[in-house]
């Protein structure tokens, strides 16, 4: 399957910086072997979308609201994202869960609404440091996956489930400079795949991309992308500079 290399800009880059970065990426990505995605803030989606229109860079959003329309001040619907040319949307990022109190039910509603509007949700899951230290990290992530996929399956929608991307993002590794060791990421990705196989069956489970996020940078990208269960990366800080994101996009493959 084609890997997904995604940049989550979070609340960073001003308009000029965003334009400069996109122009450089456009040139360097013309022969990219993978799906390359950038997720600017809502207010720059239109501009960035126009700039990448004739390139093979894909446009993503960092969040959305699950309702179709109405009195939800400050929120943005799936259809509004589609109107801007957005193809992917990050759902349940740990910063949304922790700072904005999004729980599994809210994340489920966002994933479901995204699928109904033909957006590809990037569902973020991951454990915090205490959960890792207490050795309950596999269970934590399994529960997060089960909560969402069992509901989607319940609604007889397993084909849609196959389009979801899962981002395993250990919270202790986000923005901290610490990243999961390739063997730890391998174990978690294998566990996620097995959980999915139980819920949606092997065909759909095996078509779901499971990507890794957490302090991905030019120094660790080659090791991570050579782990057999890692189908791409979600990159925060290192996606903000052309040099580092470009090096990540051009990771070296050593595995046959
Ligand atoms: C993220 O924002 O999803 C992320 C993984 O951030 P960073 O790469 O900076 O750790």
């Amino acid at each position: 399957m084609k890997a997904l290399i995604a940049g989550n800009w979070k609340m960073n880059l001003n308009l000029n910086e965003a334009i400069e970065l996109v122009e450089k990426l456009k040139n360097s990505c013309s022969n990219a072997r993978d799906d390359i995605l950038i997720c600017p803030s809502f207010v720059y989606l239109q501009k960035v979308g126009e700039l990448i229109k004739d390139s093979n860079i894909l446009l993503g959003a960092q969040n959305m609201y699950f309702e179709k329309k109405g009195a939800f001040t400050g929120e943005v619907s799936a259809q509004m994202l589609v109107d801007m040319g957005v193809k992917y949307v990050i759902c349940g990022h740990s910063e949304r869960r922790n700072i904005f109190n999004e729980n599994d039910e809210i994340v489920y509603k966002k994933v479901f609404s995204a699928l109904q509007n033909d957006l590809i949700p990037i569902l973020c899951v991951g454990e915090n440091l205490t959960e890792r230290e207490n050795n309950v990290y596999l269970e934590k992530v399994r529960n997060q996956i089960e909560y969402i996929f069992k509901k989607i399956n319940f609604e007889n929608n397993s084909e849609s489930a196959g389009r979801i991307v899962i981002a395993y993002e250990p919270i202790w590794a986000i923005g901290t400079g610490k990243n999961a060791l390739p063997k730890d990421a391998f174990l978690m990705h294998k566990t996620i795949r097995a959980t999915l196989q139980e819920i949606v069956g092997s065909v759909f489970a095996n078509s779901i991309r499971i990507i890794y996020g957490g302090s991905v940078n030019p120094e660790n990208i080659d090791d991570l992308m050579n782990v057999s269960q890692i189908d791409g990366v979600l990159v925060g800080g290192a996606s903000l500079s052309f040099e580092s994101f470009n090096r990540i996009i051009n990771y070296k493959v050593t595995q046959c």
Side-chain angles (χ1 to χ4, degrees):
M1 81 176 65
K2 227 180 188 189
L4 174 65
I5 310 294
N8 173 14
W9 294 358
K10 310 191 187 189
M11 201 172 72
N12 292 302
L13 301 180
N14 63 30
L15 185 57
N16 286 339
E17 289 164 341
I19 292 171
E20 196 184 322
L21 177 55
V22 171
E23 292 294 2
K24 286 182 183 167
L25 283 174
K26 250 168 64 171
N27 293 331
S28 73
C29 288
S30 54
N31 293 316
R33 69 198 134 173
D34 299 317
D35 285 339
I36 310 299
L37 175 73
I38 49 177
C39 304
S41 82
F42 284 142
V43 289
Y44 299 150
L45 283 173
Q46 184 164 17
K47 181 67 189 171
V48 171
E50 282 164 13
L51 291 172
I52 61 176
K53 203 158 154 259
D54 299 318
S55 78
N56 50 8
I57 300 176
L58 298 159
L59 189 63
Q62 300 172 16
N63 184 30
M64 54 165 268
Y65 195 54
F66 53 80
E67 294 287 357
K68 284 197 178 83
K69 62 178 189 171
F72 304 105
T73 302
E75 294 296 330
V76 171
S77 71
Q79 183 57 52
M80 289 169 180
L81 296 180
V82 171
D83 290 346
M84 291 297 108
V86 168
K87 303 286 181 220
Y88 288 73
V89 58
I90 299 173
C91 298
H93 190 282
S94 60
E95 287 151 16
R96 300 290 325 167
R97 292 180 191 256
N98 294 337
I99 305 171
F100 301 98
N101 299 322
E102 290 187 9
N103 59 23
D104 283 333
E105 178 62 16
I106 292 175
V107 177
Y108 158 71
K109 286 180 175 166
K110 291 187 177 194
V111 167
F112 191 67
S113 169
L115 288 171
Q116 283 192 312
N117 286 279
D118 282 333
L119 287 168
I120 300 177
I122 300 178
L123 165 64
C124 297
V125 294
E127 81 283 1
N128 63 30
L129 191 56
T130 312
E131 289 157 343
R132 173 142 295 253
E133 286 172 350
N134 291 340
N135 211 17
V136 293
Y137 53 99
L138 293 178
E139 191 187 334
K140 163 73 184 286
V141 171
R142 247 195 324 253
N143 288 343
Q144 286 180 317
I145 301 278
E146 278 178 6
Y147 190 96
I148 289 170
F149 276 81
K150 283 198 171 156
K151 284 201 156 191
I152 292 171
N153 199 34
F154 178 70
E155 301 188 33
N156 274 335
N157 220 344
S158 56
E159 196 163 342
S160 303
R163 298 210 322 271
I164 300 177
V165 174
I166 294 179
Y168 167 54
E169 298 210 301
I171 298 167
W172 48 269
I174 297 178
T176 58
K178 294 181 193 158
N179 68 295
L181 294 174
K183 71 173 176 40
D184 294 328
F186 174 75
L187 174 63
M188 182 60 88
H189 284 226
K190 221 172 86 172
T191 304
I192 293 173
R193 182 85 61 204
T195 307
L196 293 170
Q197 283 165 347
E198 281 164 28
I199 305 169
V200 291
S202 294
V203 174
F204 291 118
N206 295 345
S207 67
I208 291 173
R209 286 184 288 190
I210 306 174
I211 65 175
Y212 170 79
S215 295
V216 174
N217 61 40
E219 282 74 49
N220 57 32
I221 184 66
D222 297 342
D223 286 344
L224 288 165
M225 285 306 291
N226 282 288
V227 174
S228 68
Q229 290 284 332
I230 295 186
D231 306 318
V233 283
L234 179 55
V235 188
S239 71
L240 299 174
S241 108
F242 170 72
E243 285 68 27
S244 58
F245 197 49
N246 190 44
R247 173 62 183 85
I248 288 168
I249 290 166
N250 292 293
Y251 62 88
K252 295 187 175 49
V253 183
T254 51
Q255 167 191 269
C256 303

